[in-house]
Amino acid sequence: MSEQTRNLSEHDILSDVFGVNHPRGNAFFTGTLCGRSDHQGRDDKPLIQQGILHVLRSGSVRVFIDGRQTHFLDRPGLILFGKATRHEIETPKTGSDIVCANLLFHDAGPGPALLGIPDCLVLTFDEMPGLEMITGQLFNEAFEIQPGTRTAVNLLIDLLFLMVMRHCQKHGLMRAGILSALRDPRISRVVGALYNRPGHGWSVESQAELAGMSRAAFAQLFRDLLGISPGEFLQTIRLERAHALLQAGQRLQFVAGEVGYRSSTALARAILQKYGVSPRMLQGDLKTASVAIR
């Protein structure tokens, strides 16, 4: 491995966070929209593991929540909901060209709240230079039906959303969460280490040492940037990893050791409390466990 490749691997914390469980786009409308329409999350996923994205090519969009206008977009751009908030969008009688999609976050990965995605964010493409190839191809696929159009649109939404998160992280548009924490190299280093070694016997002291900070200063900065304590964050990571390993068919006793739990009983209890399903359900029928995201 070259030095450059090694450095890229070491510093790509966001890829470590997502692994194979990155958010997935699922388009539910592409075309010209006229008048008002109601939008909310999918019934087959927990609302806290969803977002909604509206991508505008032309025209305008007004957003109404509880009957009150909250946002307006009249240039090519997007409206991102960091949770599945029920809302209406209104377009002019002449119509607006738009792509609407659910954003589905895997149960075995960080959700919108932990990432720090705002409840609602409006961005024009003027503010995010470099997206022309992605948005251009997205609109081409969405408005010119071809074989594989639905798959292509969803993959392009995945990529667009990743670029939007990168933009928001760079410009400090996120609320407390993982993306905000990545702006501080000391906390970012710890976040990456926790994701790479969740089964290690981490203490707040050892995390603070890795960050090069005192325990008190580290704990306060960590909470300020992520919105939760180092212990709560570590437990979340461990349960996410356990969820993924059990879903892959690994035995509970093995998984408990891999993610730092002293006993399989304690892990089973924690999984049931967080996900509402038993480890046996995760190891078996995915439909029963309600973990499929597409």
Side-chain angles (χ1 to χ4, degrees), residues 107-110 114 178 190-191 193-195 197-204 207 222-223 226 228-244 255-256 258-263 265-275:
D107 289 346
L114 188 58
I178 291 173
V190 173
V191 169
L194 295 179
Y195 267 98
R197 293 188 291 157
H200 180 71
W202 293 106
S203 64
V204 177
Q207 294 179 52
F222 194 99
R223 182 177 286 276
L226 280 102
I228 58 176
S229 71
E232 291 171 318
F233 184 70
L234 177 58
Q235 183 184 33
T236 296
I237 291 174
R238 285 174 168 172
L239 290 177
E240 287 176 357
R241 184 65 57 83
H243 186 292
V255 174
E258 284 291 297
V259 300
Y261 272 76
R262 293 183 178 179
S263 72
T265 302
L267 177 59
R269 187 183 304 115
I271 288 173
L272 182 61
Q273 182 177 4
K274 180 174 177 62
Y275 297 108

